[in-house]
Amino acid sequence: MKYSLFSLLKNSLSGHKNWTPAWRSPEPKKEYDIIIVGGGGHGLATAYYLAKEHGHKNIAVLEKNYIGSGNVGRNTTIIRSNYQLPGNNPFYELSMKLWEGLEQDFNFNAMVSQRGVLNLCHTDAQRDAFARRGNAMHLDGVDAELLDREAVREMYPFFDYDNARFPIKGGLLQRRGGTVRHDAVAWGFARGADLRGVDILQGCELTGIQTENGKVDGVQTSRGAIKCKKLALCAAGHSSEVAAMAGLKLPIESHVLQAFVSEGLKPYIEGVVTFGAGHFYVSQSDKGGLVFGGDIDGYNSYAQRGNLPMVEHVIEAGVAMIPSLARVRALRSWGGVMDMSMDGSPIIDKTSVHGLYLNAGWCYGGFKATPASGWCYAHLIAKDEPHKVATAFRLHRFRTGHMLDEKGQGATPNLH
Amino acid sequence: MTGFRIKNGGLIDRDTSLNFKFDGKSFIGHQGDTLASALIANDVHLMGRSFKYHRPRGVISAGVSEPNALVELREGGRKEANTRATMVELYDGLAAQSQNRWPSLNFDVGAVTSLASSIFVAGFYYKTFMWPKSFWEKIYEPLIRKAAGLGTASKQADPDTYEKSYAHCDLLVVGSGPAGLMAALTAARLGARVILADEGSRLGGSLLFENEEIGGQSGYDWSQSVLAELASLQNVTLMPRTTIFGWFDGNIFGALERVNDHVAVPAPFEPRQRYWRIHAKRAVLAAGAEERPLVFGGNDVPGVMLASAMRHCSNRYAAAAGKSIAIFANNDSSLRTSIDMKAHGVNIAAVIDTRKGGRILNVKGGKGVSYIETSMGKIPCDAVAMSGGWSPIVNLMCHRGAKPIWDEAIAAFKPPDVGAEFTAIGSAAGHMLLSECLAGGARAGTMKSRVPATPKCRDEAFAIQPFWWVKESIGKAFIDYQNDATAKDLPLAAREGYGHVELAKRYTTTGMATDQGKLGNVNAIAILAEASGKSIPEMGTTTFRPFYTPVSFGAFAGPFTGHHFQPVRKTPLHDWAVEQGAVFVETGLWMRSSWFPEAGEDWLASASREVKSARASVGLCDVSTLGKIDIQGKDAGVFLDRLYCNTFSTLSIGKARYGLMLREDGIVFDDGTTSRLAEDHYVMTTTTANAARVMSNIEFAHQVHWPELDVQYVSVTEQWAQMAVAGPKARATLQKLVDKLTLNDESVPYHAAQEITIMGGVEARLFRISFSGEHAYELAVPADFGNAVARAIMQAGAEFGIVPYGVEALSMMRIEKGHVAGGELNGTTTAGDLGLGKMMSTKKDYIGRKMAQRDGLIDPMRQCVVGIKPVDRTMKMRSGGHLLKQSDAPSMQADQGYICSVAWSPMLNMWLGLALFSNGRARHGEIVKVFDGLRGHHYVAEICDPVHFDPKNERLHA
Amino acid sequence: MLIPCPHCGTRPVEEFTFLGDANVKRPENLDDSNWQAYVYERDNPRGKIDEFAHHSGGCRAWLVVSRDTKTHEVFGAVIAKNFKRKQKS
Amino acid sequence: MLRTSALLGVAKPGRFGADKGEPGVTFSLTQPSSMIMVIARKGKAKALNEALAAIKKTTVQWAGPDQYYVYNAPYTELKKKLEGVASVSDQSHGRVMFQIAGQKARAVLAKGTPVDLHEADFPIGKSALTQMAHVSVHLTRTGDDEFTLSVFRGFSESFWEWLTSQAGEFGYQVS
Ligand SMILES: Cc1cc2nc3c(=O)[nH]c(=O)nc-3n(C[C@H](O)[C@H](O)[C@H](O)COP(=O)(O)OP(=O)(O)OC[C@H]3O[C@@H](n4cnc5c(N)ncnc54)[C@H](O)[C@@H]3O)c2cc1C
Ligand SMILES: NC(=O)c1ccc[n+]([C@@H]2O[C@H](COP(=O)([O-])OP(=O)(O)OC[C@H]3O[C@@H](n4cnc5c(N)ncnc54)[C@H](O)[C@@H]3O)[C@@H](O)[C@H]2O)c1
Ligand SMILES: Cc1cc2nc3c(=O)[nH]c(=O)nc-3n(C[C@H](O)[C@H](O)[C@H](O)COP(=O)(O)O)c2cc1C
Ligand SMILES: [Zn+2]
């Protein structure tokens, strides 16, 4: 059933009794051409684009819990394409372009809101780094503006400019950056994929990978064995676990990142802002809550929760940036399991096992990538060659020394 | 509905009257009131508007679960939105505003949405607002954002202060009702360190308002005698107004103490709130149980309250919600309610018991109850007391992932077993009988088998028959009051595929309001389960998360705000620099002197003058912030050989050498000069930025990789004040300070590192090294001598016109000389990229050697350090510009590199820079396009050798 | 989260800096084939892990903490140089 | 004299904070004449203990695994005494030491350190390396209600301001 104001009115007359499920809950088939592991944003987007762009019909998405139960359903929803390395920027810009047409494309309002992403800087060195990054963006025609202190004050007069330990010197602004309603992304892709015949199997956990002389030919799941020709891993924080089922060891550590939401408030902060002298970024959900986060807790974790020191660390930075926040209350905190890669950049690649594909290593930056990740992963799976904007995301880069390290932190996952 | 002040009884002080304002209107209440009770006593029931439909709402609870009566409390920088009127202790002069309404609470235009409510069902916004595309950001979203949200937050800085503190105990008791009191008392008498915390303004829990009988006294009197004994004990800490908001790993509890929220303004030197981290060896959850609303038409009309809340208001605050009430319940507590309310002279219009088939179908009256429509017809009344049963307050016990367990007998979820560190007692454990609460408390208080006897008490009957939803309801039946989620939304969610309890929550927003579903969630789960043909335990709960109740940001930030966000680190020469008129700059936590302006100079003029004078005669620069690490032991040399890519074991005593450290992945990590003071004693210098990380790496390398080495290390960064004295007159200047040593190329050759004395016996270290490219020294003296020595140097250099110079001048000079620094050591460059490839030894293993050999790291096309200068020498350069071949159009593919550092060169009278440029060393002399789209500035520049000034280093040895 | 430092006693997590799996070993010689694995590849277990933890806010000793990554339960901590690595099969 | 303490002009004597009769705590500067870090050479931990025990008229405080601060001993002398037994580094100027005393001392310190200062866990004479207000601190109990703290020189002013402000509610004396 197409979603529109009209269908909404029509259904209201029948007391909304006639809405059909946004996606079916089918029983697993015996066999699929392609099985995607992970009903998060990337897995569902991959299924959607495989069906829509590459005409594949016989696809299943395995989700061990409910769709969106992973990071897509618990992230701070910031989208941007302000990267500086040639291997990254074209990919993230493709993602931004896909966001810009997504809702009409999959007929679901995901509240894509290009309200602007502002990164603050507090030292000359930071400003220089922003200049390098902003110009890299301009090289490919991506929008970026370098703001001075007064321009920032203009936008956000209630930040701390006069009593700050680390005075705000300016910022890098991408106006096309913004936020997207996280759950709706999973739901929109799921509905779009389901409409095109994809089986979304919730409560279906991958427990084993069947290989036949170096080639994938099926999986074990909590809902039984299923055969498949191609198997696409897309399990984010659990990537190491599922890859290990095929004997692969990844350049990834799982870490917990916490996020928070405040009580609902009338419009308080217009766009997305990240603090440059501590770990804090914030935006306001359409519902009114201030959604904010900071750094990962720092220890390996598969628990979707963190501890108090990081709560304090993040909120100290928040109040340092916006003194009036002191009186606002934090409503809820939660965590997500990050697939932190060794150079802070993702992996979209084939593996040494024939027919087994890998999409992982998104760290805490993979939400913005969701459409492009699905788009490029679908391309790789369908055509068996990397999409041209994702050629830098190969697994062998660590062996050849072509790391993609935006932050220059090296092989220390918890510093990316 | 007609609330009134009950003539006598209760815990309010009728002799102290307090004036307060609500929406500008003045009222009078009493000491001991809450804002909610005072308003009820003043017959004010309309206290807020709901989130989506802007329905008129009144107070429904008497505590933290309140979803409706949220106000903006106080004004200016102290204003706080969404404050629960039920938790606000009344004080004289209190001022509160209602929220989420316009123009007024009574007449709210937003209420029109309720007309269209048939469209605004759960998730409606996902289905529309998509056309035309551009309208979302321009029209729909701004409208939605404006309509959404609750209170308005202040944008002024908060004038109050906050504190943090740690606490440690053997037993933490969460909740001070009968169960908690009994547990605390038992443990305290056994000598344990006990903390008893309760979010209430007074300790006592339900005994402050329920009519109970314990040990022959009233429950209240018993609680007071217990509290008196606890207060008298050294090993007990009583914490009223303290909410335990979360349970974390290691049995650590987060707590918020509302130290001064019950007064208009905190007393001087006192914080508004204090955030506690309580390390408890053991804890008990005695948090009680939350009464549940029943789900029926109009269950949100102001005047419909939880039965226990109505008792709470009248018994404790002497504020009766109405003159004639109806009671609607599915359990025995209706009896309590009618007895108590009758005793206050309130008429019981009807008792409607679902177990006898009684139903309320609708509540009539817009902003207050006028009558109810029931299965037995219309019944006039002015308030409704409802009880849908009791949910143990399990929240904290589920904060670490465990799920609560459904218990059919009490029709509620009970806390999971999370081990002996944290156990539940009282009604939090599902023990609804007072005797069980006391017994459980005593048991938890001692972990021994012999449990002390507990006082006799009267038990109220507790029997319940689950009842979830009056399906025949006329009018909306609410489940999540604040978010306007109705009973119909959940079946709709199930129908549309959002039947998983977590999906239903997100789709309908049930349980996502400021009360986090304390009242509504169990009703929601039951209704969702039925709609999906599942049992309640099959459906299960959503995830419980901190914070049990919302916590102000200020409390988490504590005193670390504004200028105190991070500590300030000052160098030993700080006072001297102030005397010299330095302008300081934050460098990490350090404050460094940046430039020393003379009258009328801006930073550029000042720094340029500093450079010229230093290069012309002599200058003094504070370099104390460089990391300094004492490295001793007989294997010190071997150890350094493994840390650095070049060799130090061969360094002769009394000499310094420039060293380069790699990360294990082959990328450059840090650099600095390290000197050998004795056979078994080196002193290493690191960059200011990396000092701490280098120290950690040294500790790792020794303790993990090579523990067999006999080496010891300690940071001596703060022990030494270090000064660079640079320029042709540096030697002449220093000569005047040093004791009996003639400075010349024999006594102190280039790269000398000597322990000497100056100024008649002050121990010092003299290094002949140069970052500026001048004939220069670095002089280190014990920190407390720093200011005096700096002054002495200035005096000694006066005749040569010595100048102090700061980091701006320093960076001009290093760029003139092509020395790499932070801009080039950016964590992605190799030794080769920096032109230091030759330093990489081939004779030994060292950190990073192996990985540095990977193709990608030795590719000749890598970007390496070059010099760059504008073709038009008068033009200003800025860092961050990218470099393109002249023939190429802008694109990332065509990108050849970028400018990392620039400076005005006072010596060459032009802007100079260092750049990272693909295959750069082979391309000196090439003219490139500088692309600076950010500042709309494109120009051509020449790639050149990084050493712009004095290429033959003649000045160094002059 | 509390870590029992053998030198300092039990201390909260914020005094420590973590560096991942302690079972990886730096190869002894340059032609070893495990360099790549040592620097980049991790088991990343869901469950029990032995991890490097630096008591950076205390005695500055490098420890190996054994902990469960699912539950954050801490089983104990030893000084790094006394840690016995799992024998890789 | 040439030497100027980092807290010169910062730690001003007087009575501060709330006035509730007796000050809750008293702060005083107690910089020893020397503060020297000694670290046992490989395999010399026991030898170092014995050597230190033999040294008179000094205070020795635990400062990490096989590491100690030795107070009031001349650097060169100590270095000679411990030749081959320990590495010796002068920190006399690198660290600033002061004392907090009074019945509220523990309450004030608890606002910074996670260490349980209850006498059962932290008896007189015990030292801890910990962090307070983002600063590394060497903390020693010297009496029932008496502690000394030492921090890196560069942080001392900032730390002093934080610590004293935390005593504000009790009222405090700087002597
Ligand atoms: C707190 C937080 C904040 C973040 N903020 C941002 C941000 O602001 N901007 C941004 O761009 N990114 C952000 N991220 C990162 C982003 O959310 C992730 O990178 C991205 O969502 C990962 O892709 P995904 O959606 O497919 O992952 P997920 O949603 O985690 O999907 C993976 C799915 O795989 C399933 N799965 C795992 N194992 C199995 C198995 N064995 N069988 C079946 N299914 C399995 C999981 O249940 C999960 O649903 C944030 C992440 C977190 C946690
Ligand atoms: N009439 C009934 O049907 C019925 C039902 C349930 C309970 N009861 C009675 O209620 C009483 C229950 O006694 P009890 O001791 O178990 O609970 P209680 O309700 O008497 O006390 C619980 C206390 O814990 C506090 N609290 C809750 N969460 C907190 C937190 N996170 N931090 C700090 N404080 C917190 C509350 O403010 C409250 O004061 C018994 O007398 C029982 O018989 C009666
Ligand atoms: C962008 C965003 C906004 C959120 N807003 C709210 C909110 O207003 N109220 C709320 O209770 N939770 C809110 N949450 C948190 C969710 O309730 C939930 O905690 C989070 O998605 C993690 O799921 P879990 O807690 O079930 O593990 C929000 C989460 C996100 C990602
Ligand atoms: Zn320790």
Side-chain angles (χ1 to χ4, degrees), chain D residues 85-116:
Chain D
V85 177
S87 294
V88 178
S89 302
D90 193 355
Q91 297 281 23
S92 309
H93 293 236
R95 301 188 70 86
V96 173
M97 184 187 281
F98 44 88
Q99 183 196 64
I100 177 172
Q103 1 144 327
K104 293 295 179 188
R106 248 176 74 183
V108 173
L109 294 173
K111 296 180 186 185
T113 179
V115 175
D116 184 354

Side-chain angles (χ1 to χ4, degrees), chain C residues 47-62:
Chain C
K48 192 168 176 303
I49 187 175
D50 304 310
E51 68 192 336
F52 287 122
H54 187 211
H55 196 184
S56 43
C59 66
R60 301 200 63 87
W62 276 93

Side-chain angles (χ1 to χ4, degrees), chain A residues 6 20 66 95 112 116 155 223 264 285 291 308 335 370 404:
Chain A
F6 173 74
T20 52
Y66 61 95
S95 211
V112 176
M155 288 178 81
R223 292 174 68 175
S285 82
V291 176
L308 283 171
T370 305
L404 210 54

Side-chain angles (χ1 to χ4, degrees), chain B residues 222-235:
Chain B
W222 178 82
S223 71
Q224 296 311 296
S225 58
V226 171
L227 285 166
E229 177 174 349
L230 290 173
S232 72
L233 296 172
Q234 277 297 323
N235 53 323

Side-chain angles (χ1 to χ4, degrees), chain A residues 16 22 100 104 109 113-114 132 135 264 266 286 304 307 312 316 327-330 332 398 400, chain B residues 80 82 100 118 126 130 133 137 141 158 160 164 249 275 495-496 543 545 551 553 854 856 880 882:
Chain A
H16 298 281
E100 284 165 339
Q104 290 67 25
N109 185 355
S113 173
Q114 296 180 289
R132 173 196 173 188
N135 278 321
K266 290 294 174 197
D286 286 349
Q304 285 178 330
N307 279 289
E312 296 178 47
E316 282 172 12
R327 223 85 188 179
V328 173
R329 295 189 205 89
R332 187 172 171 105
F398 299 99
T400 61
Chain B
E80 5 157 8
N82 308 330
N100 198 37
S118 63
Y126 298 119
M130 286 178 273
K133 188 165 169 297
E137 269 142 29
E141 188 179 45
D158 183 347
D160 293 338
K164 303 190 186 195
D249 295 317
Y275 156 76
R495 210 174 303 133
E496 293 197 81
T543 305
R545 293 280 189 186
V551 182
F553 283 46
R854 289 175 291 172
H882 280 250

Side-chain angles (χ1 to χ4, degrees), chain B residues 797-877:
Chain B
E799 65 171 298
F800 312 114
I802 190 171
V803 293
Y805 65 97
V807 287
E808 287 298 342
L810 194 69
S811 110
M812 285 176 168
M813 291 201 255
R814 72 106 182 165
I815 290 169
E816 286 181 328
K817 289 299 299 176
H819 292 156
V820 295
E824 297 73 39
L825 278 68
N826 62 12
T828 61
T829 45
T830 65
D833 299 342
L834 301 177
L836 303 172
K838 285 189 205 61
M839 291 177 69
M840 298 166 74
S841 163
T842 54
K843 299 198 188 63
K844 51 160 188 149
D845 176 22
Y846 56 85
I847 290 175
R849 172 168 179 183
K850 176 68 178 192
M851 286 288 126
Q853 297 164 10
R854 289 175 291 172
D855 302 349
L857 274 62
I858 54 177
D859 180 347
M861 299 314 284
R862 284 182 64 90
Q863 298 178 359
C864 63
V865 171
V866 295
I868 186 167
K869 46 192 172 192
V871 168
D872 168 357
R873 305 291 196 233
T874 67
M875 190 160 56
K876 174 171 184 172
M877 288 201 307

